[in-house]
Every structure is written in structure tokens, then in C-alpha cells.
Amino acid sequence: MAQVLRSVAAFRAACDQARVRGLGFVPTMGALHEGHLALVTEAKRHAPIVAASIFVNPTQFGPNEDFARYPRDLEADLAKLDAVGADLLFAPDVAEMYPAGEQTRVNVPLVAAPLCGRFRPGHFEGVATVVTKLLAIVGPCTAVFGRKDYQQLAVIRRLVIDLRLPTTVIGVPTVRDLDGLAKSSRNLYLSPVQRARALAIPRSLAQAQAAFASGERNAATLARVARVQVEAAADDVDYVEVVDADSLSPLMDNKIDDRALIAIACHVGQTRLIDNVVLGEDAPVIVG
Ligand code: AMP
């Protein structure tokens, strides 16, 4: 059974003990699915002891976003974490992570600016702040994140380098349902009809991958191919963009050399969904 800790002091003490043997860490917001569990399994490959956290972080949600209704089910999550061999679970409340009088924030301005940064002001500041706090509490040798949140991973890689944190960051490929939809806690919000419409996202990524495989190297053309499908199915499209996979900036002359990120954010009903692949790097998306 994973040991559940609610206070920073108790969790830090448990991490201090574990660290000498090798400690891996997987931060999450709960409502765990196979994507999260793949991160725990990956962490286990790198460290004998793995800690996970479940914390729905208020500072990364905008005022009109889903903080209050975000799915929470600690007991089910704990059973899932036990099944994949997590050793410690940190499940603090908001006051524990944001003590009275708190005011400190972490910003990674350039990496956070494009893509989701344009549509979710303050989101990556909230992410960078909470991840910095968690890494400072845990001090893990290895921390594991999903490539599904590709820009988040880029923000975290940058802050770990910049703040000289003693942690190796690992990114895990996106885990998908059999029909291709990226697993997400927010998929729980989708009705069956909406879920079927959401399949346009992986389909459009697969189509872009196919075009790339046949030699298309123009970023704007590839983005257009994907956008047509997404626009037909989604209620609102935040972006469909092909950008440099490292800097997340536009590509010079729209020309892709060996690899590029295609990233999508759109709304199906009230639910905001994101997905991406790195063309020239990620395995083909299989769509049902
Ligand atoms: P969340 O609970 O949504 O904050 O996600 C916690 C971690 O799980 C983040 O590092 C996510 O990138 C990762 N994650 C979420 N969904 C997936 C997925 N389908 N495949 C791989 N990793 C994922």
C-alpha cells in the first residue's frame, strides 16, 4: 500500500529517507488513467522508490475554467497507484501548498508565451510555481512528465535548468485509447457524441504525420491539413500550429528540417482538449 501523506513536513521527511536509495516523482492532479500510470511505471524504471502527488492546483486554472468541477476520487486513485507500485502519495490541501500570506510565483516567460500561453493567461505561471514547490519538497532524483502536455514539459525542463534543481526530467510518450484519443482526465466530461467528435484530433495528427512521411515539409501546409478536420468537428479551435519542437517558435520560412511539433487545442462542448505529436520523431498515431 502506498503511504498517504497530507502535510509538507511528513512528506518531506519520507522523501528524505527515500532519496538515498533513489527517488522518482510523478506529480498529477488525480482522476488517474493509464497515461498517469505509465509515468509511474517509467519512474519505477529509474528509481526504486516512487512518490506521486495528487493536487488540483488552483493557480493554474483561469477564473472561467474547471477548477471547482475537476474530477476528484482519491480512493480510486490510490488503488490505481498501488497496482503500479507507487510507494508514497502526497495529497495536500490548498493551504498546505499555498500558506497564509504566500506571494511567490515562478515564471518561464518565453517558453510559456506561445500556444496555450496565448489562450490561458497565468496557466504556466501556476504550473511552474506548483512544480517548483513540489520539486523543492520532494528533491527527487528523477521526475516524470507526459509529452501530452508538451509545452508544460518544456516549461518544466527550462525551470529545472534555470533554477539549478538536482532532478533529471523525463518525458513519456502520450498514452492513447484504442481509437487514438489521448487519455485525459477531462475526457470524463465528454458525452459519447462529443467523444466521437473529439476523434478528429488524433485523426488530424495522423493525417499530418502521413503527409510528413510522404515528404511534405511546409509547416503552414501541414497545419492547414490538420486544421480543416479539427474545425469541422470542434466547437471552437484555439490553435493548430506547427512550430519548432525545441523553442516552440515559428519555423523560419515555414520550413521543417528533420522534426517539428504539431500541437492542437480545441473545445468540444465545454471541454478543452489538447494533443500533439512531434513529426519526424513520435510513432504514428493509430486511429480507430
Ligand atoms: P494532470 O493530472 O493532467 O496534471 O497530468 C499529470 C501528468 O500526467 C502530466 O505530466 C501529464 O502530461 C501526464 N499525462 C496526462 N495524460 C497523459 C497521457 N495521455 N499520456 C501520457 N502522460 C499523460
Side-chain angles (χ1 to χ4, degrees), residues 2 8 23 36 49-50 52 63-64 84 92 101 112 127 134 154 162 178 180 183 194 214 224 270:
V8 168
L23 177 60
H36 298 112
I49 303 191
V50 170
N64 299 316
V84 288
V127 169
L134 289 167
D162 291 351
L178 285 176
K183 289 192 185 272
Q194 289 173 332
S214 344
R224 212 157 33 236
Q270 305 276 52

PDB file of all heavy atoms in Angstrom, residues 2 8 23 36 49-50 52 63-64 84 92 101 112 127 134 154 162 178 180 183 194 214 224 270:
ATOM      1  N   ALA A   2       0.594   2.170  -0.885  1.00  0.00           N
ATOM      2  CA  ALA A   2       1.319   3.441  -0.856  1.00  0.00           C
ATOM      3  C   ALA A   2       0.979   4.182   0.443  1.00  0.00           C
ATOM      4  O   ALA A   2      -0.169   4.166   0.891  1.00  0.00           O
ATOM      5  CB  ALA A   2       0.932   4.298  -2.054  1.00  0.00           C
ATOM      6  N   VAL A   8       3.267  18.822   4.230  1.00  0.00           N
ATOM      7  CA  VAL A   8       4.581  19.012   3.615  1.00  0.00           C
ATOM      8  C   VAL A   8       5.658  18.401   4.508  1.00  0.00           C
ATOM      9  O   VAL A   8       6.557  17.693   4.029  1.00  0.00           O
ATOM     10  CB  VAL A   8       4.849  20.519   3.387  1.00  0.00           C
ATOM     11  CG1 VAL A   8       6.305  20.766   3.018  1.00  0.00           C
ATOM     12  CG2 VAL A   8       3.923  21.067   2.295  1.00  0.00           C
ATOM     13  N   LEU A  23      15.030   8.204  -5.644  1.00  0.00           N
ATOM     14  CA  LEU A  23      13.621   8.589  -5.534  1.00  0.00           C
ATOM     15  C   LEU A  23      13.113   9.162  -6.855  1.00  0.00           C
ATOM     16  O   LEU A  23      13.699  10.103  -7.396  1.00  0.00           O
ATOM     17  CB  LEU A  23      13.479   9.637  -4.406  1.00  0.00           C
ATOM     18  CG  LEU A  23      12.104  10.238  -4.149  1.00  0.00           C
ATOM     19  CD1 LEU A  23      11.093   9.154  -3.778  1.00  0.00           C
ATOM     20  CD2 LEU A  23      12.187  11.273  -3.027  1.00  0.00           C
ATOM     21  N   HIS A  36      -1.272   8.522 -16.667  1.00  0.00           N
ATOM     22  CA  HIS A  36      -0.569   8.786 -15.407  1.00  0.00           C
ATOM     23  C   HIS A  36       0.202   7.551 -14.957  1.00  0.00           C
ATOM     24  O   HIS A  36       1.335   7.645 -14.483  1.00  0.00           O
ATOM     25  CB  HIS A  36      -1.563   9.147 -14.297  1.00  0.00           C
ATOM     26  CG  HIS A  36      -2.378  10.387 -14.544  1.00  0.00           C
ATOM     27  ND1 HIS A  36      -3.726  10.359 -14.775  1.00  0.00           N
ATOM     28  CD2 HIS A  36      -2.026  11.696 -14.584  1.00  0.00           C
ATOM     29  CE1 HIS A  36      -4.180  11.596 -14.926  1.00  0.00           C
ATOM     30  NE2 HIS A  36      -3.164  12.434 -14.835  1.00  0.00           N
ATOM     31  N   ILE A  49      12.277   3.795  -5.390  1.00  0.00           N
ATOM     32  CA  ILE A  49      11.123   4.328  -4.646  1.00  0.00           C
ATOM     33  C   ILE A  49      10.470   5.424  -5.479  1.00  0.00           C
ATOM     34  O   ILE A  49      11.166   6.304  -6.022  1.00  0.00           O
ATOM     35  CB  ILE A  49      11.562   4.891  -3.284  1.00  0.00           C
ATOM     36  CG1 ILE A  49      12.282   3.768  -2.521  1.00  0.00           C
ATOM     37  CG2 ILE A  49      10.369   5.447  -2.509  1.00  0.00           C
ATOM     38  CD1 ILE A  49      12.553   4.036  -1.097  1.00  0.00           C
ATOM     39  N   VAL A  50       9.153   5.344  -5.609  1.00  0.00           N
ATOM     40  CA  VAL A  50       8.438   6.337  -6.416  1.00  0.00           C
ATOM     41  C   VAL A  50       7.353   7.014  -5.576  1.00  0.00           C
ATOM     42  O   VAL A  50       6.539   6.349  -4.934  1.00  0.00           O
ATOM     43  CB  VAL A  50       7.835   5.692  -7.679  1.00  0.00           C
ATOM     44  CG1 VAL A  50       6.883   6.653  -8.382  1.00  0.00           C
ATOM     45  CG2 VAL A  50       8.950   5.253  -8.625  1.00  0.00           C
ATOM     46  N   ALA A  52       4.202   9.803  -5.802  1.00  0.00           N
ATOM     47  CA  ALA A  52       3.279  10.531  -6.686  1.00  0.00           C
ATOM     48  C   ALA A  52       2.614  11.627  -5.853  1.00  0.00           C
ATOM     49  O   ALA A  52       2.592  11.545  -4.619  1.00  0.00           O
ATOM     50  CB  ALA A  52       2.226   9.595  -7.245  1.00  0.00           C
ATOM     51  N   PRO A  63     -10.160  31.948 -14.223  1.00  0.00           N
ATOM     52  CA  PRO A  63     -11.414  32.176 -13.485  1.00  0.00           C
ATOM     53  C   PRO A  63     -12.613  31.461 -14.101  1.00  0.00           C
ATOM     54  O   PRO A  63     -13.536  31.084 -13.382  1.00  0.00           O
ATOM     55  CB  PRO A  63     -11.586  33.703 -13.537  1.00  0.00           C
ATOM     56  CG  PRO A  63     -10.548  34.229 -14.486  1.00  0.00           C
ATOM     57  CD  PRO A  63      -9.501  33.185 -14.652  1.00  0.00           C
ATOM     58  N   ASN A  64     -12.601  31.261 -15.414  1.00  0.00           N
ATOM     59  CA  ASN A  64     -13.752  30.588 -16.031  1.00  0.00           C
ATOM     60  C   ASN A  64     -13.446  29.142 -16.393  1.00  0.00           C
ATOM     61  O   ASN A  64     -14.134  28.540 -17.208  1.00  0.00           O
ATOM     62  CB  ASN A  64     -14.206  31.352 -17.277  1.00  0.00           C
ATOM     63  CG  ASN A  64     -14.639  32.752 -16.917  1.00  0.00           C
ATOM     64  OD1 ASN A  64     -15.342  32.942 -15.920  1.00  0.00           O
ATOM     65  ND2 ASN A  64     -14.196  33.736 -17.698  1.00  0.00           N
ATOM     66  N   VAL A  84       0.354  -0.155  -9.584  1.00  0.00           N
ATOM     67  CA  VAL A  84       1.603   0.021 -10.348  1.00  0.00           C
ATOM     68  C   VAL A  84       2.812   0.233  -9.431  1.00  0.00           C
ATOM     69  O   VAL A  84       3.899   0.534  -9.897  1.00  0.00           O
ATOM     70  CB  VAL A  84       1.504   1.169 -11.383  1.00  0.00           C
ATOM     71  CG1 VAL A  84       0.602   0.766 -12.538  1.00  0.00           C
ATOM     72  CG2 VAL A  84       1.041   2.471 -10.750  1.00  0.00           C
ATOM     73  N   PRO A  92      -1.899  16.941  -0.562  1.00  0.00           N
ATOM     74  CA  PRO A  92      -2.072  18.084   0.346  1.00  0.00           C
ATOM     75  C   PRO A  92      -3.357  18.851   0.045  1.00  0.00           C
ATOM     76  O   PRO A  92      -3.934  18.703  -1.032  1.00  0.00           O
ATOM     77  CB  PRO A  92      -0.858  18.961  -0.008  1.00  0.00           C
ATOM     78  CG  PRO A  92      -0.637  18.692  -1.470  1.00  0.00           C
ATOM     79  CD  PRO A  92      -1.016  17.251  -1.702  1.00  0.00           C
ATOM     80  N   GLY A 101      -0.455  34.184   3.428  1.00  0.00           N
ATOM     81  CA  GLY A 101       0.476  35.257   3.101  1.00  0.00           C
ATOM     82  C   GLY A 101       1.360  34.969   1.895  1.00  0.00           C
ATOM     83  O   GLY A 101       2.187  35.794   1.518  1.00  0.00           O
ATOM     84  N   ALA A 112       6.583  29.833 -22.120  1.00  0.00           N
ATOM     85  CA  ALA A 112       5.153  29.837 -21.784  1.00  0.00           C
ATOM     86  C   ALA A 112       4.322  30.741 -22.694  1.00  0.00           C
ATOM     87  O   ALA A 112       3.098  30.696 -22.645  1.00  0.00           O
ATOM     88  CB  ALA A 112       4.969  30.274 -20.331  1.00  0.00           C
ATOM     89  N   VAL A 127       1.519  26.477 -13.148  1.00  0.00           N
ATOM     90  CA  VAL A 127       2.179  25.174 -13.280  1.00  0.00           C
ATOM     91  C   VAL A 127       3.618  25.263 -12.780  1.00  0.00           C
ATOM     92  O   VAL A 127       4.078  24.432 -11.979  1.00  0.00           O
ATOM     93  CB  VAL A 127       2.165  24.704 -14.758  1.00  0.00           C
ATOM     94  CG1 VAL A 127       3.082  23.506 -14.958  1.00  0.00           C
ATOM     95  CG2 VAL A 127       0.735  24.372 -15.198  1.00  0.00           C
ATOM     96  N   LEU A 134       6.769  21.577  -5.509  1.00  0.00           N
ATOM     97  CA  LEU A 134       6.789  20.121  -5.313  1.00  0.00           C
ATOM     98  C   LEU A 134       8.210  19.581  -5.407  1.00  0.00           C
ATOM     99  O   LEU A 134       8.626  18.747  -4.601  1.00  0.00           O
ATOM    100  CB  LEU A 134       5.866  19.441  -6.336  1.00  0.00           C
ATOM    101  CG  LEU A 134       4.367  19.656  -6.090  1.00  0.00           C
ATOM    102  CD1 LEU A 134       3.549  19.237  -7.319  1.00  0.00           C
ATOM    103  CD2 LEU A 134       3.896  18.871  -4.863  1.00  0.00           C
ATOM    104  N   ALA A 154       8.113  21.395 -21.584  1.00  0.00           N
ATOM    105  CA  ALA A 154       9.170  22.334 -21.991  1.00  0.00           C
ATOM    106  C   ALA A 154       9.392  23.402 -20.916  1.00  0.00           C
ATOM    107  O   ALA A 154      10.537  23.764 -20.618  1.00  0.00           O
ATOM    108  CB  ALA A 154       8.801  22.986 -23.326  1.00  0.00           C
ATOM    109  N   ASP A 162      17.202  26.308 -15.193  1.00  0.00           N
ATOM    110  CA  ASP A 162      17.465  27.680 -14.749  1.00  0.00           C
ATOM    111  C   ASP A 162      17.635  27.785 -13.235  1.00  0.00           C
ATOM    112  O   ASP A 162      18.452  28.568 -12.741  1.00  0.00           O
ATOM    113  CB  ASP A 162      16.327  28.616 -15.187  1.00  0.00           C
ATOM    114  CG  ASP A 162      16.310  28.815 -16.692  1.00  0.00           C
ATOM    115  OD1 ASP A 162      17.269  28.381 -17.364  1.00  0.00           O
ATOM    116  OD2 ASP A 162      15.334  29.402 -17.199  1.00  0.00           O
ATOM    117  N   LEU A 178      -7.729   3.084 -27.554  1.00  0.00           N
ATOM    118  CA  LEU A 178      -7.535   2.257 -28.761  1.00  0.00           C
ATOM    119  C   LEU A 178      -7.924   2.999 -30.027  1.00  0.00           C
ATOM    120  O   LEU A 178      -7.360   2.780 -31.096  1.00  0.00           O
ATOM    121  CB  LEU A 178      -8.368   0.967 -28.653  1.00  0.00           C
ATOM    122  CG  LEU A 178      -7.795  -0.073 -27.690  1.00  0.00           C
ATOM    123  CD1 LEU A 178      -8.725  -1.265 -27.573  1.00  0.00           C
ATOM    124  CD2 LEU A 178      -6.388  -0.505 -28.132  1.00  0.00           C
ATOM    125  N   GLY A 180      -7.437   6.109 -30.567  1.00  0.00           N
ATOM    126  CA  GLY A 180      -6.487   7.182 -30.851  1.00  0.00           C
ATOM    127  C   GLY A 180      -6.617   8.401 -29.954  1.00  0.00           C
ATOM    128  O   GLY A 180      -5.689   9.209 -29.869  1.00  0.00           O
ATOM    129  N   LYS A 183      -5.496   9.913 -23.746  1.00  0.00           N
ATOM    130  CA  LYS A 183      -6.157   9.783 -22.447  1.00  0.00           C
ATOM    131  C   LYS A 183      -6.010  11.089 -21.686  1.00  0.00           C
ATOM    132  O   LYS A 183      -4.951  11.728 -21.716  1.00  0.00           O
ATOM    133  CB  LYS A 183      -5.535   8.640 -21.653  1.00  0.00           C
ATOM    134  CG  LYS A 183      -5.896   7.289 -22.230  1.00  0.00           C
ATOM    135  CD  LYS A 183      -5.540   6.162 -21.309  1.00  0.00           C
ATOM    136  CE  LYS A 183      -5.809   4.832 -21.963  1.00  0.00           C
ATOM    137  NZ  LYS A 183      -7.179   4.346 -21.752  1.00  0.00           N
ATOM    138  N   GLN A 194     -19.892  13.734 -28.143  1.00  0.00           N
ATOM    139  CA  GLN A 194     -18.735  14.648 -28.117  1.00  0.00           C
ATOM    140  C   GLN A 194     -17.426  13.875 -28.236  1.00  0.00           C
ATOM    141  O   GLN A 194     -16.492  14.299 -28.909  1.00  0.00           O
ATOM    142  CB  GLN A 194     -18.727  15.449 -26.804  1.00  0.00           C
ATOM    143  CG  GLN A 194     -19.828  16.494 -26.735  1.00  0.00           C
ATOM    144  CD  GLN A 194     -19.908  17.147 -25.380  1.00  0.00           C
ATOM    145  OE1 GLN A 194     -19.563  16.552 -24.357  1.00  0.00           O
ATOM    146  NE2 GLN A 194     -20.388  18.383 -25.357  1.00  0.00           N
ATOM    147  N   SER A 214       5.134  11.435 -46.398  1.00  0.00           N
ATOM    148  CA  SER A 214       5.238  11.461 -47.866  1.00  0.00           C
ATOM    149  C   SER A 214       6.075  12.630 -48.365  1.00  0.00           C
ATOM    150  O   SER A 214       6.080  12.903 -49.557  1.00  0.00           O
ATOM    151  CB  SER A 214       3.879  11.520 -48.560  1.00  0.00           C
ATOM    152  OG  SER A 214       2.848  11.200 -47.767  1.00  0.00           O
ATOM    153  N   ARG A 224      -2.488  23.427 -41.997  1.00  0.00           N
ATOM    154  CA  ARG A 224      -3.765  23.600 -42.693  1.00  0.00           C
ATOM    155  C   ARG A 224      -4.480  22.264 -42.847  1.00  0.00           C
ATOM    156  O   ARG A 224      -5.685  22.152 -42.618  1.00  0.00           O
ATOM    157  CB  ARG A 224      -3.500  24.233 -44.070  1.00  0.00           C
ATOM    158  CG  ARG A 224      -4.608  25.117 -44.553  1.00  0.00           C
ATOM    159  CD  ARG A 224      -4.196  26.149 -45.583  1.00  0.00           C
ATOM    160  NE  ARG A 224      -3.131  25.737 -46.473  1.00  0.00           N
ATOM    161  CZ  ARG A 224      -1.989  26.403 -46.633  1.00  0.00           C
ATOM    162  NH1 ARG A 224      -1.755  27.503 -45.935  1.00  0.00           N
ATOM    163  NH2 ARG A 224      -1.068  25.983 -47.472  1.00  0.00           N
ATOM    164  N   GLN A 270     -18.025  22.076 -23.650  1.00  0.00           N
ATOM    165  CA  GLN A 270     -17.330  22.943 -22.671  1.00  0.00           C
ATOM    166  C   GLN A 270     -15.908  22.468 -22.400  1.00  0.00           C
ATOM    167  O   GLN A 270     -15.196  23.076 -21.602  1.00  0.00           O
ATOM    168  CB  GLN A 270     -18.074  22.899 -21.317  1.00  0.00           C
ATOM    169  CG  GLN A 270     -19.528  23.248 -21.376  1.00  0.00           C
ATOM    170  CD  GLN A 270     -19.716  24.760 -21.326  1.00  0.00           C
ATOM    171  OE1 GLN A 270     -19.105  25.506 -22.110  1.00  0.00           O
ATOM    172  NE2 GLN A 270     -20.534  25.221 -20.404  1.00  0.00           N
TER     173      GLN A 270
END
